[in-house]
């Protein structure tokens, strides 16, 4: 079992060191920051995965150093925009080491990052421990590399199909889908009418195939099945008139076609960005819940990129919640506008005009929606990122955010490690996939 403590974790060398059992290699790159001329040593654990983006902070000035790690076994190259390689001669014994990995990092306790507090951050260096066997890693490796090959060969076709859908070229959506995906998505082989309803279903199936090949299969055995099927569509699936009625009424508050396109574009971007974070997060995925296994994490993100990604997904999911609320009302009362004993809301129009915080209070009164949306609509993080204040400590991978607008609490802050924020954002992508799947099934059953 590879253990960084026994493989020069606190030392350095000028030559690669072969780790135990995993056929991986440790490479060391002495670099100098172009901003402040500070020298440090980047230690890379290179594994079996693909080209990866590396974003680290200079230990001295904190500047963001963007890099690209390219693996061509048995060699690895690493180049940065704001740092240059040094010759590696006469390195100081106390030179700061920045360990990075293309796979699973381990946590470490940080020193004082924010004045007056101790934080828990992530050291991006590989260590498997006893909880993951080599066989499990190997199975994931084979599955992921199969996904990566399929992604590279087909992601442009998916993007083109979505563009055709946006242009209302429904006949071309169907023909292109059959041309590229009929072999791996059997449902596409059916005879479809050349209309928007068929295209919703076909596109949802393609995206679902893509993404569910990059995460554990137990995702579909989790809470989402109860929410999306048993709790909503399946209760009224035989009532075509009801489904058509719900489309007419709910489309007044949620423009289904436009939002479906937005959802698909978010998922395509997720697929394109998968080399950066899918391998690690998927491997440490433990269920559709905001519970992160503290043994694993990832640090190859830029916080600024994640912020925009998070905000787009958050707003989309907040808007789309009206679909699930409307379906839930109809399934229970045969009337999407009947909120019955739900407090603080008496109509869909009322719900539509609530802010996200109040929407969440209404959702909390729906047993099937409560757990699902609890982490999706975390208004404190969203407000801090979009309206209040956040600070990011690059080298420590720590987010410090101020979620309160009340003057008495305005200086109070919370902390979240970048890896937890990335995992949160990842789960939101699965919720976007749920939305696409929901819309696809809904329209398929209206045919």
């Amino acid at each position: 079992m590879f253990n960084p403590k026994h493989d020069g974790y606190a030392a350095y060398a000028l030559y690669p060191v072969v780790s135990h059992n995993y056929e991986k290699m440790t490479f060391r790159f002495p670099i100098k920051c172009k901003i402040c001329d500070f020298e440090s040593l980047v230690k890379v654990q290179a594994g079996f995965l693909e080209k990866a983006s590396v974003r680290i902070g200079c230990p001295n000035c904190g500047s963001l150093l963007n890099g690209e790690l390219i693996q061509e076994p048995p060699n690895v190259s690493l180049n940065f925009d704001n740092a240059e390689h040094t010759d590696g001669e006469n390195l100081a014994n106390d030179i700061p080491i920045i360990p990075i990995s293309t796979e699973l990092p381990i946590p470490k306790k940080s020193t004082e990052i924010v004045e007056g507090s101790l934080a828990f951050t992530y050291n991006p260096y590989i260590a498997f421990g006893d909880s993951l066997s080599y066989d499990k890693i190997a199975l994931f490796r084979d599955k992921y590399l199969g996904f990566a090959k399929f992604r590279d060969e087909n992601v442009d076709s998916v993007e083109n199909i979505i563009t055709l859908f946006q242009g209302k070229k429904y006949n071309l959506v169907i023909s292109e889908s059959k041309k590229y995906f009929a072999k791996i998505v059997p449902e596409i082989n059916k005879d479809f009418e050349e209309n928007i309803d068929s295209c919703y279903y076909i596109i949802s199936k393609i995206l679902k195939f893509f993404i569910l090949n990059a995460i554990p299969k137990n995702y579909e055995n989790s809470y989402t099945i109860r929410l999306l099927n048993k709790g909503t569509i399946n209760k009224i699936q035989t009532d075509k008139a009801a489904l058509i009625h719900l489309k007419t009424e709910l489309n007044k508050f949620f423009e289904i076609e436009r939002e479906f396109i937005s959802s698909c574009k978010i998922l395509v971007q997720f697929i394109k960005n998968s080399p950066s974070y899918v391998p690690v997060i998927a491997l440490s995925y433990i269920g559709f819940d905001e519970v992160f296994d503290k043994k694993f994490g990832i640090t190859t993100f830029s916080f600024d990129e994640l912020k925009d990604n998070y905000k787009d997904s958050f707003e989309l999911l907040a808007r789309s919640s009206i679909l699930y609320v409307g379906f839930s009302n109809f399934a229970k009362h045969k009337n999407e506008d009947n909120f019955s004993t739900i407090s603080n809301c008496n109509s869909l129009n009322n719900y539509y005009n609530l802010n996200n915080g109040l929407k969440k209070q209404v959702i909390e009164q729906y047993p099937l929606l409560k757990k699902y949306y609890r982490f999706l609509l975390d208004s404190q993080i969203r407000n801090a990122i979009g309206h209040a204040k956040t600070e990011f400590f690059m080298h420590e991978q720590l987010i410090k955010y101020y979620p309160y607008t009340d003057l008495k609490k305005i200086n109070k802050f919370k902390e979240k490690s970048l890896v937890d924020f990335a995992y949160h954002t990842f789960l939101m992508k699965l919720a976007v996939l749920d939305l696409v799947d929901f819309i696809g099934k809904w329209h398929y059953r209206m045919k």
Side-chain angles (χ1 to χ4, degrees), residues 86-104:
T86 64
D87 58 16
E89 297 291 336
N90 303 314
L91 294 177
N93 290 331
D94 60 350
I95 187 171
I97 295 176
I98 306 175
I100 64 173
S101 172
T102 57
E103 296 162 85
L104 295 176

Side-chain angles (χ1 to χ4, degrees), residues 21-127:
N21 295 337
Y22 290 103
E23 298 180 359
K24 301 179 176 70
M25 302 185 77
T26 302
F27 296 84
R28 293 161 174 81
F29 297 93
I31 63 170
K32 181 169 68 172
C33 174
K34 292 181 180 179
I35 308 299
C36 67
D37 292 331
F38 188 80
E39 294 188 354
S40 55
L41 186 68
V42 179
K43 187 175 181 180
V44 178
Q45 179 67 36
F48 50 71
L49 298 179
E50 44 187 333
K51 178 174 69 175
S53 297
V54 175
R55 298 175 179 88
I56 59 177
C58 171
N60 183 52
C61 68
S63 297
L64 175 64
L65 308 179
N66 285 301
E68 185 175 74
L69 179 69
I70 301 176
Q71 302 175 52
E72 297 175 350
N75 300 312
V76 168
S77 65
L78 177 62
N79 296 295
F80 290 99
D81 57 355
N82 283 333
E84 60 186 10
H85 291 281
T86 64
D87 58 16
E89 297 291 336
N90 303 314
L91 294 177
N93 290 331
D94 60 350
I95 187 171
I97 295 176
I98 306 175
I100 64 173
S101 172
T102 57
E103 296 162 85
L104 295 176
I106 58 174
K108 68 175 181 178
K109 289 185 177 179
S110 67
T111 56
E112 267 196 347
I113 297 171
V114 178
E115 185 177 353
S117 67
L118 287 174
F120 192 77
T121 61
Y122 285 79
N123 178 343
Y125 193 86
I126 190 167

Side-chain angles (χ1 to χ4, degrees), residues 50 383 437:
E50 44 187 333
N383 291 341
D437 186 39

Side-chain angles (χ1 to χ4, degrees), residues 120-164:
F120 192 77
T121 61
Y122 285 79
N123 178 343
Y125 193 86
I126 190 167
F128 288 120
D130 296 330
S131 59
L132 285 177
S133 67
Y134 175 70
D135 289 342
K136 183 175 180 180
I137 298 298
L139 285 172
F140 176 79
R141 172 198 63 203
D142 295 342
K143 179 180 177 182
Y144 178 78
L145 290 179
F147 159 76
K149 183 176 184 297
F150 180 81
R151 177 202 62 218
D152 293 344
E153 293 173 350
N154 294 286
V155 69
D156 290 342
S157 299
V158 175
E159 195 164 27
N160 182 54
I161 287 168
I162 293 167
T163 300
L164 291 171

Side-chain angles (χ1 to χ4, degrees), residues 239-278:
D239 190 345
K240 182 177 178 180
L243 293 173
I244 294 172
H245 164 78
L246 283 167
K247 177 173 182 178
T248 300
E249 294 304 311
L250 293 174
N251 204 55
K252 296 175 181 177
F253 305 101
F254 183 85
E255 295 183 40
I256 297 170
E257 181 179 350
R258 185 187 70 185
E259 299 287 17
F260 182 82
I261 292 168
S262 297
S263 302
C264 290
K265 289 182 177 180
I266 286 175
L267 293 178
V268 168
Q269 195 60 45
F270 170 85
I271 293 166
K272 287 184 173 182
N273 290 341
S274 59
S276 295
Y277 61 96
V278 167

